[in-house]
Amino acid sequence: MENVQINKRVTIVIPTFNERENIIRLLSLLSKVIRARIIIVDDNSQDGTAEAVRSLNSPNIQVIVREKERGLGSAIRTGIQKAIENGTDYVVTMDADLSHDPIYLPAMYEKAREGFDLVIGSRYVKGGGIENWPIKRRIISWGANFLVRLLLRSPLHDNTSNYRIYSTRAAKEVLKCESADGYEFQICAVYRVLKANLPVAEVPIIFKDREIGKSKLTIGQIYKWFKYVISLSRS
C-alpha cells in the first residue's frame, strides 16, 4: 500500500499494558500507512512495553508511563489531553493488540475531513465484520451495542469500538467523561459527542482478534459497564 501523508496535526493515542510484541508490530504497520504523531500511554507494563517503544528512538512517538493510574478509559483521556496540549486537529484512538488494522485509517481520516467530528471504525455496518472471535464474545458485543442503541438512542451501529477519530472539539467533549476509567469510556464518549450534537459517521472495518496475549476484559468490567449504561440512560 502507498504511504499516505497525513499532516502532523493528527495524533494517534494507543493505550498499552503488557503489549511489547504487539505494539512494535503495530508501529511498524502504522509507519507504512500514515505520518502522524503517536502517543503511547502505558500502565507501567512489566514486560518492557515502554522500553521497547523508546528503543525505536522515533521523534514522532511519545511514551507516557503511568505508575499509579490504571484503566483503558483513563489512559485514553490522558493521551487525548496530551494530544490537545501538543496541538492537534484530530485524535485517533486504537488498540495495541493488532485487532485494528491501520489500512482503514486513510478512509476514516477522509471521512473526518468531510466534517464528521467522530468517525468510528465499525464492525457492524455493511462491509464490516469480525474474525476469530468466539461466539460468547460475539454475543456480548452484539448485546452491548443493542443496549446502547436502545437505551441511549444512539444512531451508531458500533458504539463499543475503540477504533476512532475525534475532531479536537469532539475530543474536548469526551474529556468530560472523568468517571469513566474503564471500558465504559467508549459509551460515555459517544454519549458526550451526541449530546453536543456533533456529526458522527461509521467506516466499515474487519476486526481481528488478538494473536498474542490475552484480552483485558473481565466479567467484573462487563458488569460495571452495564451499570454505567443504565445510569447514563437515567441522566
Side-chain angles (χ1 to χ4, degrees):
M1 182 174 183
E2 295 183 359
N3 197 342
V4 178
Q5 300 293 325
I6 296 181
N7 67 62
K8 291 187 177 181
R9 298 189 66 80
V10 174
T11 303
I12 303 173
V13 173
I14 308 175
T16 59
F17 182 65
N18 293 333
E19 296 284 6
R20 179 187 177 98
E21 294 184 65
N22 287 324
I23 190 62
I24 297 303
R25 290 174 62 195
L26 175 60
L27 292 174
S28 176
L29 291 172
L30 282 169
S31 70
K32 298 174 182 177
V33 177
I34 66 169
R35 299 288 188 187
R37 294 171 176 167
I38 298 176
I39 297 176
I40 306 296
V41 184
D42 185 68
D43 281 1
N44 202 23
S45 297
Q46 299 304 300
D47 69 345
T49 296
E51 292 80 359
V53 175
R54 286 172 176 154
S55 70
L56 299 175
N57 294 316
S58 173
N60 293 328
I61 302 177
Q62 179 178 5
V63 181
I64 300 173
V65 177
R66 309 190 312 160
E67 296 184 357
K68 296 182 180 179
E69 294 181 81
R70 291 288 187 276
L72 176 66
S74 62
I76 293 173
R77 281 202 313 274
T78 295
I80 290 176
Q81 181 64 58
K82 181 57 67 173
I84 292 174
E85 291 174 2
N86 291 344
T88 194
D89 292 327
Y90 299 98
V91 180
V92 177
T93 64
M94 64 190 305
D95 294 344
D97 61 6
L98 300 172
S99 59
H100 296 152
D101 196 321
I103 64 171
Y104 301 110
L105 270 179
M108 293 172 64
Y109 179 61
E110 285 305 313
K111 183 64 69 172
R113 292 182 63 192
E114 290 175 13
F116 293 96
D117 288 283
L118 169 60
V119 178
I120 291 184
S122 177
R123 300 160 291 184
Y124 300 123
V125 294
K126 185 177 180 179
I130 299 172
E131 291 184 359
N132 303 322
W133 247 14
I135 187 65
K136 181 179 178 181
R137 286 295 300 274
R138 291 175 183 268
I139 292 173
I140 290 173
S141 178
W142 182 88
N145 278 286
F146 174 79
L147 193 66
V148 173
R149 285 170 59 83
L150 177 67
L151 296 182
L152 303 184
R153 298 182 180 180
S154 170
L156 296 166
H157 296 83
D158 197 340
N159 298 271
T160 57
S161 171
N162 184 43
Y163 203 179
R164 302 178 175 192
I165 298 183
Y166 298 97
S167 68
T168 301
R169 63 176 179 174
K172 291 178 178 178
E173 286 295 325
V174 305
L175 287 178
K176 297 176 182 177
C177 297
E178 297 177 351
S179 63
D181 291 337
Y183 287 86
E184 67 273 12
F185 175 83
Q186 312 297 6
I187 304 307
C188 180
V190 168
Y191 176 79
R192 287 289 182 181
V193 170
L194 293 177
K195 190 173 182 180
N197 294 314
L198 301 180
V200 299
E202 295 178 90
V203 170
I205 67 165
I206 301 298
F207 177 96
K208 298 179 181 180
D209 196 17
R210 64 164 60 238
E211 296 178 3
I212 301 173
K214 296 181 179 180
S215 171
K216 313 298 191 300
L217 186 64
T218 66
I219 296 298
Q221 289 167 335
I222 293 173
Y223 178 67
K224 181 181 179 182
W225 181 95
F226 177 79
K227 287 178 61 179
Y228 188 83
V229 173
I230 297 299
S231 68
L232 276 184
S233 69
R234 294 174 177 173
S235 63

